[in-house]
Amino acid sequence: MRGNKFGKLFSFVTFGESHGEALGVVIDGVTAGLDFNLEDLQIELDRRAPGRVAGTTNRKEADSAEVLSGVFQNKTLGTPIAVIVRNTNQRSKDYDKLKSEYRPGHADETTQGKYGFRDHRGGGRSSGRETLARVIAGYFASLMIPKIEVRAYISKMGPFSATVDDLLNTKDISPYNYPLVEKNTEIKKYLLKLKADGESVGGRISILIKGTPIGLGEPAFDKLKADFAKSLLSIGACVSFSFGLGEEMANLMGSEVSSKRENFGGIEGGISNGEDIFMTTTFKPTSTIGEKAKEGRHDPCILPRAVPVVEAMVKCVLADHFLRQRAYGDGGINE
Amino acid sequence: MRGNKFGKLFSFVTFGESHGEALGVVIDGVTAGLDFNLEDLQIELDRRAPGRVAGTTNRKEADSAEVLSGVFQNKTLGTPIAVIVRNTNQRSKDYDKLKSEYRPGHADETTQGKYGFRDHRGGGRSSGRETLARVIAGYFASLMIPKIEVRAYISKMGPFSATVDDLLNTKDISPYNYPLVEKNTEIKKYLLKLKADGESVGGRISILIKGTPIGLGEPAFDKLKADFAKSLLSIGACVSFSFGLGEEMANLMGSEVSSKRENFGGIEGGISNGEDIFMTTTFKPTSTIGEKAKEGRHDPCILPRAVPVVEAMVKCVLADHFLRQRAYGDGGINE
Amino acid sequence: MRGNKFGKLFSFVTFGESHGEALGVVIDGVTAGLDFNLEDLQIELDRRAPGRVAGTTNRKEADSAEVLSGVFQNKTLGTPIAVIVRNTNQRSKDYDKLKSEYRPGHADETTQGKYGFRDHRGGGRSSGRETLARVIAGYFASLMIPKIEVRAYISKMGPFSATVDDLLNTKDISPYNYPLVEKNTEIKKYLLKLKADGESVGGRISILIKGTPIGLGEPAFDKLKADFAKSLLSIGACVSFSFGLGEEMANLMGSEVSSKRENFGGIEGGISNGEDIFMTTTFKPTSTIGEKAKEGRHDPCILPRAVPVVEAMVKCVLADHFLRQRAYGDGGINE
Amino acid sequence: MRGNKFGKLFSFVTFGESHGEALGVVIDGVTAGLDFNLEDLQIELDRRAPGRVAGTTNRKEADSAEVLSGVFQNKTLGTPIAVIVRNTNQRSKDYDKLKSEYRPGHADETTQGKYGFRDHRGGGRSSGRETLARVIAGYFASLMIPKIEVRAYISKMGPFSATVDDLLNTKDISPYNYPLVEKNTEIKKYLLKLKADGESVGGRISILIKGTPIGLGEPAFDKLKADFAKSLLSIGACVSFSFGLGEEMANLMGSEVSSKRENFGGIEGGISNGEDIFMTTTFKPTSTIGEKAKEGRHDPCILPRAVPVVEAMVKCVLADHFLRQRAYGDGGINE
């Protein structure tokens, strides 16, 4: 009830404060007998890790995953999978003055108001660091849905923008997760400049999903689009969600929309129709600006590191609905 | 697990197909001793009802609410509240040809794929008619949060657009739920023209919430914004959600955003900060177009009728988080 | 959260007060395409109905089931199934004096303390009448698990007792649900005498389940035995639960128990092992005694009518775990 | 859905296999600002720990709790509390032959059948070792309900038996958790003899709860007795549950039962009535017998170590219902 759990049949609970002992996740609902590979998991974590990309935070934590349960001889057991990441580089003293200071756009004041008590060192429970637990969950989700491909990318960041076609033309968009990789040097300069200026910037992350079977999503509240929206808006900096033609739908006539099936974004009546699913989100600029942003270990733009988190959340939704659909079957019990 | 339930402490299950015996809802988590007024409930239902506004569907069903349980001597009992609305005007034969015909943008094909069997008469379970059950739930939610004011309005519909200031300047925006009520005659003409042309149009519905206490929403997955997003994207025609500055955040620098607290849209770190909450959604044009739209009982634009549904879903989220916050308290057990 | 919902993948919500408009249930998680037969459902309801057996309550309500949703052309749709039963015979005035009178062993005082407000006419929400909704749910559960046979029977009632072998020797144990049907005349006399004396009696109901596949139940909290225990203790008059050798286990040595696999009652490690499952419950005597019991419409012994309720709850647990096991599969995704 | 979570408003997820890296628990729903004391937690864990009592298993693991999150400056944060216990003493090779051998009364065969793959070293996920996670949860539950006293004790073990009055006469019943502590030497001899014989024995654990407020429990499925039953039957060796007069109710007349309110065991209509709550469970003899039991690290009787687990589960149920009742209030919103 305190909202630290996500999902139903494929579900996970995250825990940990940014400056506590460790962050972690317990994932429940992974089927038994799937091949686990610690290196693959670590690769996903590293995609999200701070300090790897020039221009992003220089907080260089190992973010090393330790699997405590649910895996035996590199296979999933079907039992809950607990994975933790130790906090090794918390410089809590940096945060001492935050005890009685509330940063705008952060959870500081609302957390104090909500609980009457808080861990004032960094974001505490509301830190973006919590998202590493989601990336871990996303890795295990991906084991369940090997035929579905989920790709997120930066579709807009400051002066840079890209289309889904740009994505389709580029296999590897790391490390910035911007499809026009020939711009990577420019992006680096741009981010370093922002950092030097104590400035930050927002942008957009879009998602393309290929290979979704027909029938995922439920007709009433757990429409696939609704669960995607929740999953993405549950990321701290995310401020908007749309799918298919999205906001553009407000400017269109029914005849224009119905002319092409892909305008429905792969979801009809809340249920996947087997076509590509396309979604877009907006992320606000990092709230930390000014002198603090220059000194600190803060990202001038969260987008590059948010991309693997976005992918993880989308995979978790898909894995959950995959199991739900399998439970009930298409036509049911008599098959 | 089949997604017919919404909410946690304040929760409800909806049931019913558009051409079945009845639609209804069972609401659980309403506290005991609240004053119930059937007329007020009916007023909310009537706001959503078809056939009341020129230019919207001419399907004139009574949509009369019958309370089966949970209310005694006009007070809530704290037990589950069941309310049903009989389907009195289903002309099923209109739909016979739909048995083997899948309408684009509808759930017809995905439902068949998902279940292997469906009620082909109208939208079945995926019909917009299901939303009357949500309006009923929203009425009971509103009893729980008397100090919070939730107002939704059409901020864009075809050539018409309105701002939140327009809303604040107008007390009663019925029947079109467009704040510039002096345009109502124009709107009527516009909608009748659409209908005559067998055309439809999308638009935007925005929401202003006043009086939210500090502390609603949870720091991880059940952020207030995430639950709002889910609640609204669970409405059939809704294709986008944003809060605060929304999509505009993609174009802003951190310094611009942090200059005014209201830019955060009343939610920081996923938790309400006591300020006004502002959200916007996009609705796609009604999928039924062409000759079918002219003859049938179809809305050329769903927006006027969607406004009470939007308000209901938002109220349900607020009532749920209100109870959640009350359960845990601010500082807890030792108060 | 108010405990009106039971089950996870096969779940249902019950509603209604004994003297309100109607009682009912919304069942979610029934797969699509199953054959529905209203007569079969009514037969189950009639087994539980009051006034059919001499010696039980003379409250002769029709308890006629009306299906509002989820069934189309006598097949389940996979959507929520709502069924209601109108209260047609409530003589509310009988209960007027109960407004300020709390009956021992009933929920009267605890309900008042819990909610601060209650429907004082009869048991309200806590009435045994609520169990008709469970019988309806049990009927739909049985459609999901056609290969599993669930038989409950009275193993002790006053001076009468019976064994599981007695059950196996008798195909039809109606109407008293006591396997030694040759005693039915005696039972009738016994119950009439109790009634005349304003007395009541408790007893035991045992359950034999045949045909459970291997693998139902989860290793930690949702052990099959734990879910059975909860399901049965959720029946008002039920005061004990045991499975396999049950209480006798307290008197046995490990070597005695391990000598025969059937001593484990069909459940090992919380998971069904494919053997017969055997369980026993105790029901307390009806709380209404004395003059009130003589006049009123009260059962001197609830056991005969409780048997179909017990069966229904057990079936619901089995259907739920059946779906859960199907979701995750035995070995999983790669099959 | 895989049953590794218990509770609703106060909830926890356990994880870990007996021979994996660690066992642990994530507890959600603890209010903020409660005083945490690691020593108190460790005392509870030590009560359950193996190897402390002569005659019980000689597996001497430290079972040392490490708190990873949710606590700051010795106060609860209101965020999820993760606690782990490393497995330091697993002698996995002892178990190698179990790979293809299924022990009767254990989960070996059912686990293999359920998942198609398992950790064959010891009980894996089904090991009694999982219950240490419950004891940790119980410690945090107890912080939420400081006014409620929960005491479990051995009421029968082999030739030894004790009454609730014996319990009331003895403040400290450690280490055997048998109230007649003057028999401790005899018990020690008895258990050592069992061990030497490769034999095991079952028994009964009873529970007395004092100080429960009126109003805990819900009228339909989440009756307090139903949730207690589930919580206790979810313990591996538990095979029966009863409350109040329990099984004796089958032999009583209504007039006898209604003569004393305490006969209802502190729960009427599923809701606590403020009186003492009394419950009894049966535990089967440990399944490991014969030569294996002599050599191995197996308990000849699980009862002494099960007592703190029983107390923990009961406290978790109470804390959960305490929060549920606080959410809805007694009469509600208008207070």
Side-chain angles (χ1 to χ4, degrees), chain D residues 63-123:
Chain D
D63 280 358
S64 172
E66 184 187 6
V67 179
L68 297 181
S69 69
V71 174
F72 177 54
Q73 297 175 339
N74 285 319
K75 280 194 185 299
T76 58
L77 279 168
T79 59
I81 297 169
V83 184
I84 62 170
V85 172
R86 296 270 171 190
N87 288 323
T88 54
N89 191 27
Q90 326 96 301
R91 299 189 304 184
S92 302
K93 61 187 172 216
D94 289 13
Y95 294 94
D96 274 358
K97 57 184 165 183
L98 290 175
K99 199 161 183 176
S100 52
E101 190 187 317
Y102 300 140
R103 298 167 296 172
H106 284 90
D108 300 346
E109 185 171 3
T110 52
T111 300
Q112 187 70 37
K114 183 175 186 64
Y115 300 103
F117 178 62
R118 71 190 173 102
D119 181 349
H120 59 268
R121 303 165 303 169

Side-chain angles (χ1 to χ4, degrees), chain A residues 1 227 230 247 255 324, chain B residues 1 199 227 230 247 324:
Chain A
M1 286 315 109
D227 280 359
K230 163 139 189 175
E247 294 85 4
S255 56
R324 290 165 75 166
Chain B
M1 284 318 108
E199 187 55 276
D227 280 358
K230 164 140 188 173
E247 293 84 4
R324 289 166 75 166

